[in-house]
């Protein structure tokens, strides 16, 4: 169907690698030319070995899920004849440990606030979110629980 590429680059800039005292900051490059500072979460790796200004993989994962839901929701709303004027989501991912004790993003809560030219009823809105979840490429690719809150 299609391919989607990203380039990840890290380079050692000191001699602390063997002792574990090395920067984990790296770069993500995407096919459109965008380059992003990336880093482990400061909650996982403390500065100076991480950079709070960078995007961490967990944040990117949550953003990818929220973005996919947004894009699928907009598509479905437009096909339904609804006019969406604004869509904001303050999504939150929750890290827990699996039965083997390995941390993972077990749950993502989507918290969309959506503006419409004519607001649909609650049943229509719930159906759109349900269908968006069913059709989202990313949601279909992960085992993380994804819920729409509110």
């Amino acid at each position: 169907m299609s391919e989607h590429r990203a380039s990840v680059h890290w380079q050692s800039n000191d001699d602390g690698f063997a002792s574990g005292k090395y920067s984990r900051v790296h770069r993500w490059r995407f096919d459109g030319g965008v380059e992003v500072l990336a880093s482990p979460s400061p909650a996982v790796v403390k500065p100076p070995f991480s950079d709070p200004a960078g995007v961490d993989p967990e944040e990117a994962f949550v953003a990818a899920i929220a973005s996919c839901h947004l894009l699928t929701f907009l598509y479905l709303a437009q096909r339904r004849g609804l006019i969406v004027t604004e869509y904001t989501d303050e999504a939150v991912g929750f890290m827990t440990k699996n039965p083997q004790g390995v941390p993972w993003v077990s749950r993502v809560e989507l918290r969309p606030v959506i503006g419409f030219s004519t607001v649909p009823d609650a049943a229509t809105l719930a159906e759109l979110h349900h269908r968006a979840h069913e059709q989202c490429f990313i949601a279909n690719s992960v085992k993380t629980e994804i819920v729409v809150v509110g």
Side-chain angles (χ1 to χ4, degrees):
M1 233 170 109
S2 62
E3 292 183 357
H4 305 272
R5 299 174 185 259
S7 173
V8 178
H9 179 74
W10 172 88
Q11 184 172 345
S12 179
N13 59 1
D14 56 37
D15 57 358
F17 190 83
S19 66
K21 297 182 185 298
Y22 60 93
S23 174
R24 276 79 163 176
V25 178
H26 54 287
R27 311 282 310 168
W28 294 345
R29 292 185 191 101
F30 298 95
D31 61 2
V34 172
E35 188 169 305
V36 176
L37 177 68
S39 173
S41 168
V44 177
V45 176
K46 302 296 181 212
F49 307 114
S50 66
D51 185 343
V55 177
D56 64 65
E58 297 83 7
E59 291 172 322
F61 182 70
V62 171
I65 290 169
S67 182
C68 188
H69 188 87
L70 155 83
L71 294 169
T72 309
F73 182 95
L74 293 177
Y75 169 78
L76 294 170
Q78 181 274 323
R79 299 275 314 221
R80 189 83 174 253
L82 297 169
I83 305 298
V84 179
T85 58
E86 186 174 8
Y87 186 114
T88 302
D89 191 346
E90 298 291 334
V92 179
F94 297 92
M95 187 92 87
T96 61
K97 289 187 178 183
N98 70 13
Q100 294 75 38
V102 178
W104 71 301
V105 180
S106 59
R107 179 180 172 97
V108 172
E109 292 182 357
L110 305 177
R111 300 168 184 201
V113 177
I114 307 165
F116 295 91
S117 60
T118 302
V119 179
D121 61 53
T124 299
L125 190 57
E127 178 196 347
L128 286 169
H129 281 301
H130 178 74
R131 289 184 60 214
H133 178 71
E134 286 183 332
Q135 295 181 31
C136 170
F137 307 150
I138 304 299
N140 278 290
S141 303
V142 300
K143 62 182 181 179
T144 299
E145 177 188 21
I146 302 167
V147 296
V148 176
V149 177

